[in-house]
Amino acid sequence: TTTREVISATGTGQISQPKTFDQKLLERKRSKSPNNEGKTEIILPIRGDPFGEGKSAPTNSYPTCSCQDNSCNSESSNSFIKPTQTLEHNLSMQFNPPLNSTTENISLIDDNSFDVELDAFISRQLNNDFDVHKQEKLTLDQWIDRSRPKGDSDLMNYIRSALLIALKLTDCLIRSKSIAKDDSHSIDIIPLEAIKTANVIITMAKGDSANEGQTITGFALDQKCNTTTVDCQKYDLEPKHPGQKILSVDFSTPAYAYPSLGSASSCLMALGGIMYELFSKGDRFELGSMTLNTRSVNELRLSFDEQSDDGSISTGQRSKKSTPCPGDDRFAHLIMRLGNIGIPHPVINLVENLLNSSLGEFSGDDVYRSLDDVRVDLQLMIDDPSRYLDISEYGSGQRLIIDDKVYGREEETARLRDAYNRCSNGECCGALILGEGGVGKSTFAMNSKKFTIAANGYFVSGKFDRDATRPFMVIGDVFNSMCDLFAADIQSIEQERKMAEALTRSLGSGACLLADIVPSLSNLMPLYTSCESSSFDAASRTRYLLLTLLDTLSKLSKSITILLDDLQWIDPASLTFCRALFQSTKSNKNVFLVLCSRESEVQTQDKSEVHDWLQSLSGSTLETIHLTNLNPEDVNNIVSDSLRTWPRLTRSLSAILHGKSLGNPFFLRQTMEMLCRGGYLHYSLGERKWKWDLDEISDLRLDDNVVSLLTREMTKLPDELLVGLKAASCIGYCIPQTVVDILSKHLEMDLFGVLTSLVQRSYLAGVGSALYRFTHDRIYQAAYELMSEKQRREDHMKFGLAICSYVLDNCENNYDMMFVGVNQINRGGPEVLADSCRRVMISQLNLNAGKRALLLTDFSSALSFFGHGIMFLNPGHWDAHYQLSLDLFTSAAESACATSDAALVKSYSETILAHSRSLDDRLPALCFAVKSLKESMNLPSCRDCAIEVLTQLGEDVSSVLEIPSQETIQITNNLLMSKMTDDSMIKMSPCTQMRAVFVMRLYHELNYVYYVFDQTRLLAISLRMVSLTFEIGLTDTSSLAFANYGVELIARGYLIGSRLGTVALKLAENSKYISYVIAAVKQYNLWVIEPLHAIAESHLVGFYSGKRVGDEFSSSLNFCLHLSTSFHCGKNLIQIKKSLSEYIVQLLENSQQWFLPQSAMLYWLIVELIEGPNFDLTEHNPLILNENGVMLFAASARHLELDIFIDGCKLMRSFLFRRDMTSCDGVLDRVVNATCQLRPTMIIAVFFEGLISFVMARQTAENNEWAIKGEIALAYMKRWESSKWNFKNKINLLEAEKMHFLGNFDLASQFYLQAVESSEKHKFLHELAICLELQGLFFQVRNLREKALTSLNRSVRCYKDWGANAVAERVEQYIQHHLRGC
C-alpha cells in the first residue's frame, strides 16, 4: 500500500515537520488568505496525487492515477472529492480519524466509517469559518435530520421545504448541462458520479439576520446568488428553525479519474435517487439489498436511448394514447415506502417517474425525458400546492374542477394594471374590455378587483341582463353596494357625522329621489320624506345626484373601482347614465371605471346606439383592451390545471381540444365537462389520475356552436332537472329565492333541491342565500331554447300569474317581486290569456309597475309597462274601463315624451283626444304633445299646437301676441312700482286652478318658440304671463314670467327690469326652473347693476343648479355663458381654451348643437389670440369647427343674437391684430336699432366697432364716415354709463380716441389715463392692455417716446398675462420697428 503524504501549512507559510496524519490528509496545497491571517485555502486530497511532492491536478482536466504499483483501482480512486468552492479553515482544528486507523494502514480504513468522520470534520471546519459570516453549511443528510417532521402536522411543511431544495438541485444540473455544451472540461460541470446525496451541500444563514436573504417557510434563498430564486412567501408555513435561511443549494463537484456526464436518463434516475432520500426523510436509496452506486446507474442506461441536443430523451414515436408507466419492480418497495409515510401522491409520482426514466422506450408517457420537465413540475407544486401538491385537494381530484382563472392574458393584465396606476395621475379614467362571447372578459375584468384591494380601495360591480326585471336595476345595485361598503367602514360617530354632513351639503333635499334606487344611502345620511320633481327633469336630476354621490364618496375616503359588465344588454336609461358617468370619471382621479361588452352583440341594429358610444370611447382616456381566443399553450395550461396533471402530459389532449373549441375558454370548458360526463375523460381511482383516449376524443364530432352543444347536453339531464332548468330560464338570468319558493308550490316540486343540483353541474351559481344566476348567458340562452315559442309563452304567463297572486296576497309593497311577475306576464303576451277579468287586472298591474318605474326615472321601462297594459285591455275598454284607459294612455304619452319619441306621443295623444270626455282629461296629453314637438325642434308645429290648445282654454292668443304699446307697458310698470313691493310679489297666494297652470306652461313653451323665430313677440308673451300671475296667483312658471318681462324691459331701457329679475331669482330658489332663471336674469338683466365678474360666477352656479334639478338645456346654456363672460372679463385664455375644448366635445357627444356655433367661434378666436391669426385650427383640433363651419351653423340658425356674437368676435380679432378692419361687418346698426334681448357681449361688440372707427378715422382723415360711426358707438355706450364697473373704462377709452382724432390732446391724455386706471381698478386685464397700447401710440404721435415705450412695454406684459401671446408679439414687433432707438 502506498503511503499517503500530505502537505501541511502554517500561518507563517513554513513547512513544519513531522507531518501529522490530519496535516498530510488535509493540507495538500498552500494558499495564503489575503484577509484572514493564519488561514489557508485547502482542497481535499485526490487519490493519485503524489502527496509528498505537494502537486495538484491541472484545473482543466481530471487527475489520473499515479500509483507506482498500480494498487489503486478506478473505483477506489474516486473515494475523495474536490469541492468546487475553496474553503478557509483554522489550523488549530484537527481531523480525528477512526481509532483503528494509522498512517500506514489508511487504505484499509472502512469507507463508511471514514466518510462519517470526514463529513463531521468538514462540517466543523466549514462551520468554524462561516460562524464569522453567520452562515452554516450542511450536508443534505444533516438538513434532513434537523428538519425531520415530528408528526403529521409538520409533514407538509417539510415537503414544501424539500421541494425548494429539489428545485435548486434541478437548477444546478440544468446549469451544468448548459455549461457542458460550451466547455466540456469546465470545473463547473457536475459529473454523473457526483449526483448523489452525499455531495449535496446546503448553505444556510443562521441567527437573526433581517436583511439577509428572503424568508421562505423558515428558510431563505439568497436573492443575490446566481441560482434561481423561488418565491414561496405565499406559503403560510411555520419555520422549523427560526432565523435560519437557505442561501444556496449546490453539489460539491468531485474530481474523478474517469468522469462521465452520463445520458439524460441516467442523470434523471440519479436525481430520482436523491429525491427519494429527500422525501423519505433520510431513507437510503437501495435496489433490493444493494446500494445504488455510480456503476449501477450507468448499467441501467439502455443502449438504445438517444439523447437530443437539449439533453432530453428521444425514444422514437410515442403512442397517442395516455399509456401508464409499467414501472420497475426494483422500485416498488421504495414507492410503497413513500406512500406509507404519507407523502402526497404527486411527489411520489414525480420520484417514480424519475426512477423509471431509466427504462427508455419501455417506459410510459409519464416518465421524464428532460431536466426541464422536472423543473416545470417542481415549480408547479411550489407555486400552486392546492392543485398539484396538497393531499386533501388532490383527493377530490376525481371531480373535474375548472377554476375561473385568467390564462394567457399577461400582456393585457399588465395594460390593465398600468391603466389603474395611471388613474391616480389623471392620465386614465378606466378600461374598456371588448371581445367575443366566451373569451373570458368578465374573469379578466376581475383583475381590477385585485388591484383595487391591493390599493386598499372599494370595488363594486354590476352585470347587465338581457331580460332585466327591475328598472335601473344594475346601476341601483352598484350604488347600493357602494353605500354598504362605506357604511361598514365607519369607525366612529364623528366619522359618521362628517360623512352625513358632506352628503347633505352635496345632495341636499334631492337625496330623497335616490331613496328608492339606493336605499342603503339612508345608512350614510338622513333622507327627506318628499321631493318635488316632474317627469321631464327627474331622469337628469337623478343622474346628477348619483354622480354627485359618487364624487362625494370618492373624495371622502378610498378610491373606487366600478365594473359594469355585459354592456351589450344595457337598457336605454342605464346607457344614458353610463355616458354621464364616463364624463364624470374623466375628471375624478379617485374613480376607476371598467366597462365590458361583447363586440358582435352591439353591432346589431337595435344596439346601434350602444355600439356608437363604445366606438366613441376608443382613443379616449379609457384603455381599450381587445381579448381574443387562447393559443394552444394557454389551452394546455387550462387542461393541466383542471385535470391536476402535469402540462407535459396533457399537451396532446390540449391540441385536440384547442382545435375543437378554437381556443374559446367558455367553449373549452363546456367541451371538457361534456367529455367528462360522457366518460371520455375519467378519473382512475387505482392510479389516482385522470385518463383519456386521444383517438376517441379526436374522432368525436362536436357542434360548432356552443349553444347547440349545451342544448344537446341539457337534453340528457334527468326529467326533474330539465324541468327546473327550463323554469329558471323563463324567470331570467337571475332567479330570486322568493320566486323559487313560489314556483316550488306552483310546480309541486322541490325546485330548491333541483337548482342546487344544477349548481353542482355548473349550470347555475348561488349568489349568497337569496339568489341564483346562470353561470354564463350562453347557458341561459341554451336552456331557454330547449322550449318551443308556444311553451315559453305559456310558462311565462303561468309563472307571472303565480308571482303576482303571491304579491297581491302577501306583500303589495314588494315592488321587486311585482316587477318580476309583471315582466313574466308581459313576455307571455295577451294572446295566451283569454280571461277578460284577468286581463283587466294585468292592465292595472302594468299601470302600477309603470308608475313605479317613473319614480325610478326609468322612462323606457315605464313606457314598456304602459304599452303592455294597453295591449291587455279588452275591446270596448274606453266604455267599460274609462279611467284605467285614460291613465294608461296619458302615462304612456308622458313616458314617450320623456324618451323623445314624438311619434308615440302623437299616437297616444290623438287616441286620448278621440275618446276623452272633457277638456281637463285632454289637457295633460295636449301639453305632452306641445312639449314633444318643442324637444324634437319641430317649432312651427309646436307653435300651432300651443296656440290651438290656448284657444281651447279661452285665451285670445292673437290679441296677446300683438306688440304692446308704450302706454300698456307704462301702466304695468306703474302698478309694479306703486302697488307691489318685492316682498308682496314673492308672497302672493299660489294658484289653485289647474287650467290656469296649464295656460302658463303653454305660454312658456310659446315663449321659447318665438325666442327662436320672432323676438318681437317676447314682450307681449311675458307681459301676459305677468298679468296672469297677478290675476290667478303664483304658479311654477311665475318666476319665468318675471324673469322674461324684466329682460324685455332692460332691452328697452326700463331699469325697473332689474328689480323684476331679483324677484324672479327669489321665486325660483326652490323651483326646477332655477337654472333657466339664472341664465336669463344674470346675462340679460342684472349686468346693468352687477360686475361682469360676478355674472360669470353666477352662471357657474346656474350650471350646477341645472344639473341638480335635471335641466340639461339650461345647465349647458349657463356654462356657455360662463365661458363667454369670463372671456370678456379678461380671464386667462389658456384656462378658458381648455374648458371650451372639453365643453365643445361634450356638446358634440350629446348632439347639443344649439350652443355649438357660439362656443366654437369663441374657441377659434382664443386660439388665434394665443397662436396667431394664421394658425390652422383644423389640424390643432379637428373636432372644433373652423370659421367656415361656424358660419354655416350660424346661417342655419338665423338668429340675430348669434349673428351679433360672431361678428363681435371678428371685430375684436381685427382690432387686436390690426387686420381686415375695413372688411368686417359692423354690428352697430343691428344693436342700436334692435328690439331683441340685450347681452353685455353685444355692447362690447359696439365698443370694438367704435375703436376701429376712430382708428380708421385717423388713418383716413378725408373720410369722416368712420368718425360718425365712432360717435354713434360712443353715444350708445353712454346709455349704460350707470354701470360704471363694466363700461366706464370702455367709455373713457372711446372718449380718448375721439379727442385724439379731433386733435384735443389734453383731453385725450386725461381720458387715456382714466381708461387705464378704470380698467386696472375693475380688473379688466385685456382692456388694460388695449388702453396702454393706444395710450402708447398717442404718446408716440406727440413725440413723447419715453412715455410711449413705457406704456407699450406695459401693454405687452398685460397681453402676455392675459395669454394673448400673438398680440403681445405684434406689439413687440411694433416697438422694435418704431421705437428701437429709445
Side-chain angles (χ1 to χ4, degrees), residues 989-1008:
S989 301
C991 175
T992 58
Q993 305 173 32
M994 287 306 300
R995 287 195 178 190
V997 172
F998 280 114
V999 168
M1000 290 286 287
R1001 291 177 181 175
L1002 288 169
Y1003 271 125
H1004 171 59
E1005 302 296 349
L1006 206 57
N1007 186 84
Y1008 175 85

Side-chain angles (χ1 to χ4, degrees), residues 919-951:
L919 177 60
D920 291 336
D921 290 344
R922 292 193 294 271
L923 273 178
L926 291 172
C927 287
F928 297 145
V930 173
K931 178 78 172 180
S932 177
L933 291 170
K934 187 192 79 170
E935 295 294 333
S936 61
M937 296 303 293
N938 188 354
L939 299 184
S941 298
C942 176
R943 177 193 58 198
D944 296 341
C945 185
I947 292 175
E948 181 182 352
V949 177
L950 285 169
T951 302

Side-chain angles (χ1 to χ4, degrees), residues 584-598:
S584 174
T585 55
K586 287 166 63 174
S587 58
N588 192 336
K589 298 179 181 180
N590 297 323
V591 178
F592 187 72
L593 181 63
V594 182
L595 305 176
C596 297
S597 179
R598 189 179 301 165

Side-chain angles (χ1 to χ4, degrees), residues 840-899:
V840 174
M841 178 194 72
I842 293 172
S843 294
Q844 184 64 53
L845 287 172
N846 271 290
L847 177 63
N848 296 340
K851 289 182 176 180
R852 183 65 183 177
L854 287 178
L855 291 176
L856 297 174
T857 69
D858 188 347
F859 300 112
S860 297
S861 296
L863 181 59
S864 177
F865 284 124
F866 296 136
H868 279 95
I870 292 172
M871 292 169 60
F872 275 98
L873 288 171
N874 295 310
H877 57 87
W878 281 105
D879 294 327
H881 305 284
Y882 174 80
Q883 191 60 47
L884 176 60
S885 301
L886 181 64
D887 291 344
L888 280 170
F889 276 89
T890 303
S891 299
E894 178 184 8
S895 301
C897 182
T899 56

Side-chain angles (χ1 to χ4, degrees), residues 160 164 216-217 230-237 379-385:
R160 295 180 188 180
L164 297 175
I216 301 180
T217 69
V230 183
D231 182 8
C232 293
Q233 285 182 317
K234 55 188 174 184
Y235 305 130
D236 186 15
L237 303 178
Q379 191 73 60
L380 286 172
M381 283 193 283
I382 291 172
D383 290 345
D384 196 356

Side-chain angles (χ1 to χ4, degrees), residues 523-777:
N523 298 327
L524 301 178
M525 66 172 293
L527 297 180
Y528 295 90
T529 56
S530 63
C531 178
E532 293 184 3
S533 180
S534 77
S535 60
F536 300 127
D537 58 38
S540 298
R541 188 176 187 183
T542 300
R543 287 195 298 272
Y544 171 78
L545 291 171
L546 286 173
L547 296 177
T548 303
L549 171 62
L550 174 62
D551 183 70
T552 305
L553 291 178
S554 66
K555 293 176 180 177
L556 284 175
S557 184
K558 309 173 185 177
S559 61
I560 302 172
T561 296
I562 300 176
L563 167 60
L564 298 176
D565 198 3
D566 280 345
L567 284 173
Q568 68 272 11
W569 310 128
I570 192 171
D571 57 276
S574 298
L575 176 60
T576 304
F577 174 79
C578 285
R579 290 177 181 271
L581 175 64
F582 169 67
Q583 294 295 334
S584 174
T585 55
K586 287 166 63 174
S587 58
N588 192 336
K589 298 179 181 180
N590 297 323
V591 178
F592 187 72
L593 181 63
V594 182
L595 305 176
C596 297
S597 179
R598 189 179 301 165
E599 289 181 294
S600 60
E601 300 287 349
V602 299
Q603 294 175 359
T604 58
Q605 184 175 1
D606 59 332
K607 294 292 183 182
S608 59
E609 188 177 1
V610 182
H611 177 262
D612 293 342
W613 178 57
L614 294 179
Q615 286 291 104
S616 69
L617 297 181
S618 299
S620 64
T621 53
L622 281 179
E623 179 73 19
T624 303
I625 300 175
H626 290 268
L627 298 185
T628 57
N629 289 339
L630 301 176
N631 59 39
E633 188 61 31
D634 297 326
V635 169
N636 186 46
N637 290 333
I638 295 178
V639 176
S640 170
D641 283 1
S642 302
L643 301 181
R644 290 163 172 75
T645 305
W646 311 122
R648 62 188 176 86
L649 303 179
T650 59
R651 193 160 282 114
S652 55
L653 172 63
S654 300
I656 297 175
L657 294 179
H658 180 270
K660 292 183 179 296
S661 65
L662 302 179
N664 184 281
F666 178 71
F667 202 165
L668 173 66
R669 180 190 187 107
Q670 299 306 316
T671 301
M672 291 182 65
E673 291 180 350
M674 184 273 293
L675 293 175
C676 186
R677 288 192 292 268
Y680 300 99
L681 282 173
H682 63 279
Y683 186 77
S684 173
L685 291 174
E687 299 182 41
R688 300 187 68 182
K689 64 180 181 180
W690 284 89
K691 304 190 69 177
W692 55 88
D693 190 307
L694 292 180
D695 293 330
E696 289 185 2
I697 296 176
S698 179
D699 296 338
L700 189 64
R701 293 191 61 183
L702 298 178
D703 296 274
D704 295 334
N705 185 289
V706 68
V707 175
S708 300
L709 173 67
L710 288 167
T711 302
R712 185 159 56 84
E713 286 300 304
M714 289 174 181
T715 57
K716 301 176 183 178
L717 290 172
D719 292 342
E720 189 178 43
L721 296 187
L722 194 58
V723 171
L725 188 61
K726 292 178 181 179
S729 69
C730 279
I731 298 303
Y733 188 78
C734 297
I735 308 99
Q737 179 63 51
T738 307
V739 175
V740 175
D741 295 336
I742 297 172
L743 296 188
S744 293
K745 298 177 183 178
H746 179 76
L747 297 173
E748 297 181 351
M749 62 182 298
D750 181 14
L751 189 57
F752 174 80
V754 170
L755 297 185
T756 301
S757 299
L758 292 173
V759 170
Q760 295 173 353
R761 293 172 181 260
S762 300
Y763 290 119
L764 299 176
V767 182
S769 60
L771 189 69
Y772 290 96
R773 66 169 176 82
F774 282 89
T775 53
H776 198 277
D777 64 345

Side-chain angles (χ1 to χ4, degrees), residues 1283-1301:
S1283 180
K1284 294 184 179 180
W1285 185 288
N1286 296 328
F1287 302 115
K1288 183 62 175 177
N1289 65 324
K1290 301 172 181 63
I1291 295 172
N1292 286 336
L1293 186 58
L1294 287 176
E1295 289 279 15
E1297 286 290 283
K1298 175 184 175 181
M1299 294 299 107
H1300 185 184
F1301 167 72

